[in-house]
Amino acid sequence: MRRLLSRRRLFYHCLGHPGVAGLHAPGRQSLEDCLRATHTVNLAQGEAMQAMRAESSSARIGTAFNMSPCEPAGDREEDAEAAERWHRFVNLWFLEPALNGRYPEAFLNGIPEEVMGIQDGDASRMQAPLDFIGINLYTRTLVREDLGDERGIGAAPVEPEGERAGPRTDFNWEVWPNALRDMVLRITRDYDRPVIEITENGCSYADGPDAQGHIQDPRRIDFYRGALGALHQAIQQGADVRGYHAWSLLDNFEWAEGYAQRFGLAWVDFETRDRTLKASGAWYGEVAANNGLEI
């Protein structure tokens, strides 16, 4: 039996951008409240693990973490250090407490324990010995030093530009296949080769039916070919990857964006609810049937 504890997408959208944007319900914009909420989530994660273990000792339990490999935006050492702090903040803020019962050193002036409401005994309550680490990943993050950062991390994400930039999806997210390889290898190296599942990976493109009702979406095929190729490289270099889950089977209600962004391998007419397999869906089905693709 395999069970998934939780997802972390809200944290990435809320704190992963300058300021606390309040993009998702309940729309609050308090950095202190958000940090305190992350501690509550980490306590819940640990206690949920204990409860699930008590119910079924044979269950395989993991958590899906939203991640993005953090690269320095420039050649300065200060940018490299800022990217490392951002990595700890965005990628490890929920993973490190689960595996090691502590928060990573992401803040310039230390972990804001008082703001977060950390109490004696919380370290053990947060621990959740995961059987696998789920990774939700869509793109990479470029980071520069920003000593005026209101979070106290001294770092800020920046948009890739010029020759360093990849193409964009219709969500304006950069397509960077090596992001998946780099993130998987970083977790593999830093956490002693854990079992990994890619629990989300995909792209939003609005390609719709043509006059014959066919949906040609070659950009999505290119995205998945690049992502699976990069994941193959990570496996060749020692990563223990047990599964890959495309996001998503169907066009869906996408958080604050509603029905405006289409991630599906199948087109959904939101008026009639009719579903039509896209060219990418047929391609992905062949990959799954063959259990691989030519690299």
Side-chain angles (χ1 to χ4, degrees), residues 86-154:
W86 197 253
H87 162 70
R88 296 169 186 167
F89 182 60
V90 171
N91 296 323
L92 306 184
W93 199 250
F94 298 98
L95 180 60
E96 187 70 12
L99 298 185
N100 295 316
R102 63 184 180 231
Y103 283 98
E105 294 293 338
F107 292 83
L108 290 172
N109 295 320
I111 298 165
E113 295 186 11
E114 185 174 347
V115 169
M116 295 170 65
I118 297 175
Q119 301 179 14
D120 292 342
D122 283 357
S124 60
R125 291 175 63 195
M126 292 191 298
Q127 286 189 285
L130 304 171
D131 295 314
F132 67 92
I133 295 172
I135 295 179
N136 299 347
L137 187 143
Y138 292 89
T139 189
R140 64 171 177 168
T141 303
L142 295 181
V143 182
R144 64 172 173 81
E145 181 188 45
D146 179 9
L147 297 181
D149 165 34
E150 64 184 21
R151 308 169 200 83
I153 298 172

Side-chain angles (χ1 to χ4, degrees), residues 32-214:
E32 291 187 359
D33 287 352
C34 195
L35 285 172
R36 189 177 182 90
T38 66
H39 184 56
T40 300
V41 167
N42 278 322
L43 292 171
Q45 177 174 238
E47 294 185 358
M49 170 67 83
Q50 295 176 23
M52 293 170 76
R53 285 274 183 245
E55 181 68 22
S56 175
S57 60
S58 62
R60 292 183 60 245
I61 304 172
T63 301
F65 301 91
N66 213 85
M67 294 187 176
S68 176
C70 300
E71 304 176 14
D75 297 328
R76 301 167 61 240
E77 180 64 26
E78 290 84 355
D79 287 339
E81 293 172 354
E84 182 62 20
R85 291 193 299 273
W86 197 253
H87 162 70
R88 296 169 186 167
F89 182 60
V90 171
N91 296 323
L92 306 184
W93 199 250
F94 298 98
L95 180 60
E96 187 70 12
L99 298 185
N100 295 316
R102 63 184 180 231
Y103 283 98
E105 294 293 338
F107 292 83
L108 290 172
N109 295 320
I111 298 165
E113 295 186 11
E114 185 174 347
V115 169
M116 295 170 65
I118 297 175
Q119 301 179 14
D120 292 342
D122 283 357
S124 60
R125 291 175 63 195
M126 292 191 298
Q127 286 189 285
L130 304 171
D131 295 314
F132 67 92
I133 295 172
I135 295 179
N136 299 347
L137 187 143
Y138 292 89
T139 189
R140 64 171 177 168
T141 303
L142 295 181
V143 182
R144 64 172 173 81
E145 181 188 45
D146 179 9
L147 297 181
D149 165 34
E150 64 184 21
R151 308 169 200 83
I153 298 172
V158 299
E159 292 295 327
E161 297 177 346
E163 295 181 355
R164 292 193 64 184
R168 298 294 182 120
T169 69
D170 288 352
F171 212 155
N172 200 35
W173 292 350
E174 184 188 29
V175 177
W176 198 260
N178 286 343
L180 188 56
R181 178 199 65 195
D182 295 345
M183 194 73 255
V184 167
L185 288 177
R186 179 71 191 265
I187 297 302
T188 295
R189 182 181 72 241
D190 291 355
Y191 289 94
D192 193 26
R193 198 172 180 263
V195 173
I196 291 173
E197 290 200 23
I198 307 306
T199 40
E200 285 188 27
N201 182 237
C203 52
S204 173
Y205 292 114
D207 304 297
D210 60 19
Q212 289 73 43
H214 301 144

Side-chain angles (χ1 to χ4, degrees), residues 7 9 138 199-207 215 217 220 224 245-255 258-270 272-278 280-282 284:
R7 292 171 63 185
R9 216 165 172 194
Y138 292 89
T199 40
E200 285 188 27
N201 182 237
C203 52
S204 173
Y205 292 114
D207 304 297
I215 302 170
D217 56 341
R220 182 173 283 105
Y224 281 118
H245 306 269
W247 186 266
S248 175
L249 174 62
L250 304 173
D251 293 332
N252 63 293
F253 187 86
E254 182 59 33
W255 296 79
Y259 295 109
Q261 299 297 332
R262 292 181 177 269
F263 282 84
L265 293 165
W267 170 275
V268 177
D269 185 319
F270 294 121
T272 66
R273 301 178 186 172
D274 289 341
R275 302 169 180 179
T276 305
L277 192 66
K278 303 175 186 178
S280 61
Y284 191 79

